[in-house]
Amino acid sequence: MNKRGSNAVGVRRYNERLILATVRRLNGASKADLSRITGLSPQAAVRIVESLAEEGRLIKAGKRTGGMGQPSIIYRINGDSGCTIGAEIGRDRLVCTILDFDGRIIACESTATSYPSPASAVEHIRSFARHHMPRLRQEQREGFLGFGIAMPWFIGEWREEAGIATQQAAAWTAPGLEELFQNELDGPVLFENDGNAGALAELMSGAGAGLNNFLYVHIGTFIGGGLILNGEIKRGRNGNAGALASMPVPNGPDVDFLLHSASLYQLSSKETTSDAQWEAWLSHCADALAFTIISANSLLDLDAVVIGGTLSQERLCLLRRLILENMQRSAPRDFFCPELRIGKNGDQAPAIGAALLPLFSTFAPNLISLLKVDKDTADIERK
């Protein structure tokens, strides 16, 4: 018989994560707020908050007056209690960022690259860490949680569109790639698809705050995206759910991929592209994205779609309007149109999401932590 249940350590760990996640989402809360919102008993909420405050993860941030009884003490995340480093490795740039424990950006650097090698990417991240870590408070350095790396899972694919050589692309599929980063970087290293990382950034500190189910669309050199379901990244079997680039879209009488309709590589140069060329590209991009959103939402019934990336705020707003106009014309009668939001993290979203990975994996609620398997059952299942 498969004996599964909750253990005390798992429950306590889950409740600590739940309290931290709730305080982070509300940007401050009292013990009574946390008990009411999380469903924990007042006694349990008090114990956990006081324990986290003693550890330095929460700090008192003032009092709330009004109502009956004593003023309520408000607790917030102590950003000085730790930090993380994230890196987005792209086909044409490498972005590094360092966040405090509250997810606020301490430093961010973007470097244009013709196409990075694994060794050059590692050295760039190490150099960024050597430069910025000594400038932090000792408490932040001692609370360092690790590195997050965001990159396209198939960084070597679409070589013709990216203009890279086969040998350059092959370096990213060579054996031992993860071990290279783990061995060369001083701390735990977590990897994530760049679209998923961008979705995580918008979920935790962007336009996705308060949403449980949304599709994130990142418009960059290549189109990408990520999927949030039930407040968590939906990775899929191969970690590529919501990647969008290979999504089929109509192209006249034929079928094409979204990559060829909504990626900025199609423009020779964003600086020299004329207004007429921009208008034509935005119109074509909006048609393809409207088709994609109708297809995705018919299957998933999402709360919203968050659109971000390297486009200016003005062009993102225009693209949003064109998508909505297209969906009003072409969506089926029984279609529930999701809210279309503009991302708040811009082209930094994947790097911010990468830096959030160690924090999210360590301190976000995870129902798996509630489960235990006794030793005898585990041995039986392994056999």
Side-chain angles (χ1 to χ4, degrees), residues 158 222-225 242-248 256-260 263:
W158 311 106
F222 284 0
I223 188 77
L244 294 184
S246 56
M247 191 81 161
D256 201 353
F257 301 111
L258 187 62
L259 173 87
H260 298 134
S263 301

Side-chain angles (χ1 to χ4, degrees), residues 60-116:
K60 296 178 182 179
K63 295 182 178 181
R64 180 193 300 140
T65 58
M68 300 178 62
Q70 296 294 323
S72 300
I73 297 175
I74 302 301
Y75 290 85
R76 288 199 172 95
I77 300 292
N78 180 12
D80 290 339
S81 66
C83 67
T84 64
I85 290 177
E88 177 206 356
I89 302 172
R91 297 173 177 89
D92 59 354
R93 68 174 193 164
L94 199 153
V95 184
C96 291
T97 186
I98 184 167
L99 306 182
D100 70 10
F101 187 71
D102 199 20
R104 292 183 296 246
I105 298 175
I106 297 173
C108 185
E109 295 178 1
S110 179
T111 303
T113 63
S114 56
Y115 188 78

Side-chain angles (χ1 to χ4, degrees), residues 276-289:
Q277 289 173 312
W278 268 115
E279 289 177 7
W281 183 86
L282 285 167
S283 176
H284 188 53
C285 178
D287 290 345
L289 284 176

Side-chain angles (χ1 to χ4, degrees), residues 15-326:
N15 289 340
E16 288 176 350
R17 291 178 170 204
L18 184 61
I19 289 289
L20 283 169
T22 305
V23 173
R24 192 183 305 279
R25 179 167 59 87
L26 297 176
N27 193 28
S30 69
K31 294 171 183 175
D33 294 332
L34 293 167
S35 173
R36 184 179 67 256
I37 293 170
T38 63
L40 294 172
S41 70
Q43 296 86 348
V46 167
R47 285 197 305 269
I48 294 170
V49 168
E50 290 180 350
S51 175
L52 290 170
E54 186 177 342
E55 292 174 15
R57 294 302 185 184
L58 293 178
I59 55 173
K60 296 178 182 179
K63 295 182 178 181
R64 180 193 300 140
T65 58
M68 300 178 62
Q70 296 294 323
S72 300
I73 297 175
I74 302 301
Y75 290 85
R76 288 199 172 95
I77 300 292
N78 180 12
D80 290 339
S81 66
C83 67
T84 64
I85 290 177
E88 177 206 356
I89 302 172
R91 297 173 177 89
D92 59 354
R93 68 174 193 164
L94 199 153
V95 184
C96 291
T97 186
I98 184 167
L99 306 182
D100 70 10
F101 187 71
D102 199 20
R104 292 183 296 246
I105 298 175
I106 297 173
C108 185
E109 295 178 1
S110 179
T111 303
T113 63
S114 56
Y115 188 78
S117 66
S120 68
V122 167
E123 181 52 40
H124 193 95
I125 298 167
R126 290 175 59 184
S127 176
F128 177 84
R130 286 195 299 264
H131 179 70
H132 289 285
M133 287 293 285
R135 302 182 177 191
L136 303 181
R137 296 181 179 89
Q138 181 179 353
E139 185 182 6
Q140 280 183 314
R141 295 197 304 271
E142 291 176 350
F144 179 63
L145 296 172
F147 297 86
I149 308 296
M151 56 186 285
W153 277 168
F154 304 101
I155 191 170
E157 298 302 325
W158 311 106
R159 289 191 297 273
E160 292 182 9
E161 291 85 349
I164 58 176
T166 303
Q167 186 175 0
Q168 288 177 294
W172 289 98
T173 59
L177 183 64
E178 288 191 17
E179 287 78 4
L180 170 67
F181 282 82
Q182 296 282 1
N183 293 335
E184 296 297 326
L185 296 178
D186 188 17
V189 182
L190 297 173
F191 292 85
E192 187 55 86
N193 177 287
D194 55 348
N196 287 343
L200 178 61
E202 294 297 342
L203 172 69
M204 295 188 68
S205 59
L211 297 175
N212 289 320
N213 305 285
F214 68 90
L215 177 68
Y216 171 68
V217 179
H218 187 90
I219 299 174
T221 302
F222 284 0
I223 188 77
L227 183 61
I228 301 294
L229 294 179
N230 297 319
E232 295 185 354
I233 299 172
K234 183 65 176 178
R235 292 179 171 86
R237 179 179 178 182
N238 299 298
N240 214 41
L244 294 184
S246 56
M247 191 81 161
V249 294
N251 182 19
D254 301 318
V255 174
D256 201 353
F257 301 111
L258 187 62
L259 173 87
H260 298 134
S261 301
S263 301
L264 291 172
Y265 82 88
Q266 297 166 307
L267 301 171
S268 56
S269 170
K270 288 187 286 185
E271 287 73 24
T272 59
T273 300
S274 67
D275 289 343
Q277 289 173 312
W278 268 115
E279 289 177 7
W281 183 86
L282 285 167
S283 176
H284 188 53
C285 178
D287 290 345
L289 284 176
F291 181 88
T292 299
I293 293 169
I294 291 171
S295 301
N297 199 62
S298 297
L299 180 65
L300 298 170
D301 197 13
L302 299 164
D303 301 329
V305 174
V306 177
I307 304 173
T310 61
L311 289 178
S312 68
Q313 193 75 4
E314 179 183 3
R315 287 189 172 124
L316 281 173
C317 289
L318 175 57
L319 179 62
R320 176 183 178 276
R321 179 172 64 81
L322 292 172
I323 292 171
L324 286 171
E325 289 175 354
N326 184 296

